[in-house]
Amino acid sequence: MAATAIANAKHMMLMMLSASISLPLSSRSTSLSAKRLLYNQYPTRSQTLVRSACTSITTDTSKKKKKEKGLAKEKRRTRSLRGGDVHILKEEDDDSSSSSTIMMQQSHIPVMLGEVLDVFSSNLKPLSSFVDCTLGAAGHASAVSFFLLVVAVLCVFMNMIFYTTVELSCITENGCACGCCCSQIIQSHPELKLFIGMDVDPLALRMARSRINAAISHSHPHPNFQALTFVKNFRHIRSLLTQVDHISSGVDGILMDLGMSSMQVNNPARGFSVLANGPLDMRMDPQASLKAEDILNSWPDSEVGRILRDYGEERNWRLLQNKIAQARLQGGLHSTGELVDVIRSTTPGTKGGRQGWIKTATRVFQALRIAVNDELKTLEDSLHACFDCLAPEGRLAVISFHSLEDRIVKQVFLKIIGEEGRDSVRKIKGGEDEKELWIRQTIQGCNGTILTKRPITPSEKEEGFNRRSRSAKLRVIQKL
């Protein structure tokens, strides 16, 4: 009965709106005007029904707008044409000292690995030298496949005990284990003479080296092939390459994967995790001096607020800034758990529940991590440096995972190709261009060509298989 009354009130409200109010249904003014009109028509005891009808229309309109916004956003996306084919990378441990130990192969599904391989395989220029600027992160590979989960469950029922020497922390947040992509690059390019891997995290680099060695042993590289790894931030790529012989003319391919690694997130001592208590560290480079704790307890309040607003894109930054300032008066913040408690105190319990404060905490942790490591300025400088290090017709591919990074990549690419850049639609009609089907629209400039006017995003099938890939965006630039 109540539902029927609400439906009738809603129907009457719509009729009155169409006849009496010229404002659009989605506007707040319309809702307020409608309430006034209906309150005059209804007796006092029926105002609850009117209020319910107004709420119902507002909710319906909000859902419709969100759906339309999602469809519009989907139309603007440039999805991969690969159809979400999955690349499974298997790694086996060579240690067979215990005959009773059953080794489980660790499989990885790299995010957009096929697209990355296309970028460097389809180019007419042979790939004789390649640099992976984020070797340890290898962010475009996904977590353990669903197939492995099924196998593990079946084996539990069979009372089988599994052991694995591959640490769980080597699986990345946005992708797979360290070095997955580099091993595929090495195996796919027998003409490759020089591979250079960089990472600021010594532990990540150490794990990646074992995968490089495994890739070399399972492939047939060039007789003069060299694989060099350096504990360096990619902002130093220019000075690093000057120390390497035989690349005076530049390198043929450079990959920058900006994904965050679970190797860091899953270790509470690093301070990146929202759900695990640990020190407020957040340094990518363990040798760096600045920590998140220093920012929260020592930097001016206004600067802390700016970081939350600009780097975390947090709308509630003023309240968080004030709460952090209050925490300083009570001894300061010294652990991730204490920071999470502050964040939870600013997030209403009725707004999204647990997921609500986790989203806020994720944005706050992202903002602090970016500030501690100066990530955005480092990225901007590194993009220019990487392009300078390319050989003629060499390509730079960048995979980003949030809007701040992608915006910088887009703007820097436009600056790099020169002020006279102009849009040009690339039409592929077979022949040599059949190898370059991933290219849709290019922007031609006087210094280079942006091969992705719009960033390539994972296919719907890949997103369905690996939800963590949904925010990945791939942009590519080629030097003239």
Side-chain angles (χ1 to χ4, degrees):
M1 182 72 71
T4 304
I6 292 175
N8 291 336
K10 181 177 175 180
H11 179 67
M12 181 179 291
M13 182 177 175
L14 286 171
M15 293 178 63
M16 294 179 68
L17 286 175
S18 62
S20 307
I21 302 174
S22 59
L23 295 172
L25 276 176
S26 60
S27 73
R28 181 175 175 81
S29 300
T30 301
S31 179
L32 293 174
S33 300
K35 286 181 181 179
R36 293 192 191 100
L37 287 171
L38 290 172
Y39 284 161
N40 293 332
Q41 297 290 328
Y42 275 72
T44 305
R45 64 178 182 274
S46 302
Q47 290 189 2
T48 302
L49 296 178
V50 176
R51 196 176 296 112
S52 298
C54 292
T55 302
S56 176
I57 285 186
T58 302
T59 303
D60 292 347
T61 305
S62 177
K63 288 181 179 179
K64 184 177 179 181
K65 288 179 68 177
K66 285 183 178 180
K67 184 176 181 180
E68 291 175 350
K69 185 177 179 181
L71 291 174
K73 185 176 180 181
E74 179 63 29
K75 288 180 181 179
R76 292 196 301 268
R77 296 187 69 173
T78 304
R79 284 197 179 273
S80 168
L81 295 175
R82 294 186 64 89
D85 50 332
V86 177
H87 295 259
I88 304 294
L89 307 180
K90 295 183 179 179
E91 303 197 13
E92 300 180 10
D93 192 289
D94 295 331
D95 185 8
S96 56
S97 57
S98 175
S99 59
S100 63
T101 300
I102 301 176
M103 305 304 298
M104 182 177 71
Q105 293 180 333
Q106 189 78 10
S107 298
H108 310 287
I109 309 142
V111 175
M112 299 183 73
L113 173 61
E115 289 76 7
V116 171
L117 294 177
D118 284 345
V119 168
F120 295 108
S121 298
S122 58
N123 191 13
L124 298 178
K125 181 181 176 64
L127 194 72
S128 60
S129 54
F130 185 84
V131 178
D132 191 332
C133 289
T134 47
L135 180 63
H140 55 296
S142 70
V144 181
S145 69
F146 177 75
F147 169 75
L148 277 181
L149 180 61
V150 174
V151 172
V153 171
L154 289 175
C155 290
V156 167
F157 282 109
M158 295 171 64
N159 295 320
M160 297 179 66
I161 300 175
F162 278 76
Y163 298 90
T164 176
T165 59
V166 180
E167 294 185 24
L168 179 63
S169 61
C170 75
I171 302 172
T172 65
E173 180 73 7
N174 294 310
C176 75
C178 314
C180 283
C181 178
C182 71
S183 63
Q184 290 292 294
I185 290 287
I186 292 172
Q187 294 178 20
S188 301
H189 293 274
E191 77 279 12
L192 190 65
K193 298 179 183 178
L194 178 64
F195 177 89
I196 297 175
M198 305 171 61
D199 201 278
V200 73
D201 191 327
L203 177 61
L205 195 65
R206 191 158 57 246
M207 291 182 175
R209 283 171 180 158
S210 64
R211 286 181 169 75
I212 294 175
N213 293 334
I216 295 173
S217 64
H218 287 89
S219 61
H220 302 283
H222 193 277
N224 299 324
F225 176 78
Q226 281 185 295
L228 308 175
T229 56
F230 300 90
V231 183
K232 286 277 189 181
N233 190 300
F234 48 59
R235 74 193 312 169
H236 303 300
I237 184 172
R238 191 185 286 111
S239 61
L240 186 147
L241 292 183
T242 59
Q243 306 171 22
V244 181
D245 298 330
H246 311 303
I247 56 171
S248 56
S249 60
V251 294
D252 300 318
I254 299 177
L255 172 65
M256 297 176 70
D257 169 21
L258 307 177
M260 185 67 184
S261 171
S262 288
M263 182 167 33
Q264 293 136 351
V265 174
N266 292 342
N267 183 359
R270 300 297 296 272
F272 294 111
S273 176
V274 171
L275 301 177
N277 191 29
L280 282 166
D281 193 320
M282 301 194 189
R283 293 173 297 173
M284 292 291 194
D285 180 1
Q287 304 301 318
S289 57
L290 180 64
K291 301 179 181 179
E293 182 178 1
D294 302 327
I295 294 176
L296 291 170
N297 296 318
S298 304
W299 285 25
D301 296 353
S302 59
E303 187 65 11
V304 174
R306 183 193 67 82
I307 288 171
L308 299 178
R309 181 192 66 210
D310 296 347
Y311 296 163
E313 299 181 300
E314 172 57 44
R315 291 179 295 180
N316 208 21
W317 63 272
R318 286 187 185 276
L319 180 57
L320 284 166
Q321 173 188 319
N322 294 335
K323 287 285 187 178
I324 291 170
Q326 293 174 15
R328 290 179 179 181
L329 301 176
Q330 301 173 2
L333 298 170
H334 305 286
S335 69
T336 56
E338 293 173 352
L339 177 58
V340 167
D341 289 341
V342 169
I343 295 169
R344 294 184 71 170
S345 69
T346 65
T347 307
T350 57
K351 190 176 181 179
R354 182 174 182 267
Q355 190 65 22
W357 72 259
I358 287 181
K359 288 182 178 179
T360 301
T362 301
R363 290 191 289 267
V364 171
F365 275 57
Q366 171 186 296
L368 290 171
R369 190 198 76 226
I370 290 174
V372 167
N373 300 284
D374 195 18
E375 291 182 16
L376 300 185
K377 184 65 168 65
T378 297
L379 174 60
E380 184 175 353
D381 294 342
S382 302
L383 290 170
H384 287 283
C386 286
F387 186 81
D388 291 342
C389 294
L390 286 176
E393 298 184 6
R395 290 179 175 179
L396 166 62
V398 184
I399 300 179
S400 60
F401 288 88
H402 62 75
S403 59
L404 295 176
E405 292 173 341
D406 182 62
R407 192 178 304 126
I408 289 176
V409 176
K410 175 184 177 180
Q411 292 172 352
V412 171
F413 276 10
L414 289 172
K415 289 180 183 177
I416 285 175
I417 65 173
E419 295 295 329
E420 301 131 353
R422 61 184 184 278
D423 293 1
S424 61
V425 179
R426 176 150 181 172
K427 298 180 180 178
I428 301 174
K429 296 184 177 180
E432 294 294 336
D433 283 341
E434 288 183 352
K435 296 181 179 180
E436 302 278 83
L437 289 175
W438 61 273
I439 299 178
R440 318 283 184 83
Q441 290 179 305
T442 66
I443 303 178
Q444 181 70 48
C446 56
N447 298 320
T449 304
I450 298 175
L451 301 180
T452 50
K453 180 183 177 183
R454 287 183 178 178
I456 299 175
T457 59
S459 64
E460 291 186 52
K461 188 177 292 185
E462 182 173 1
E463 280 192 16
F465 191 86
N466 175 28
R467 290 288 293 166
R468 288 178 175 178
S469 71
R470 64 188 182 277
S471 58
K473 293 182 179 179
L474 171 63
R475 293 186 184 270
V476 186
I477 189 172
Q478 178 170 303
K479 195 171 187 177
L480 289 182

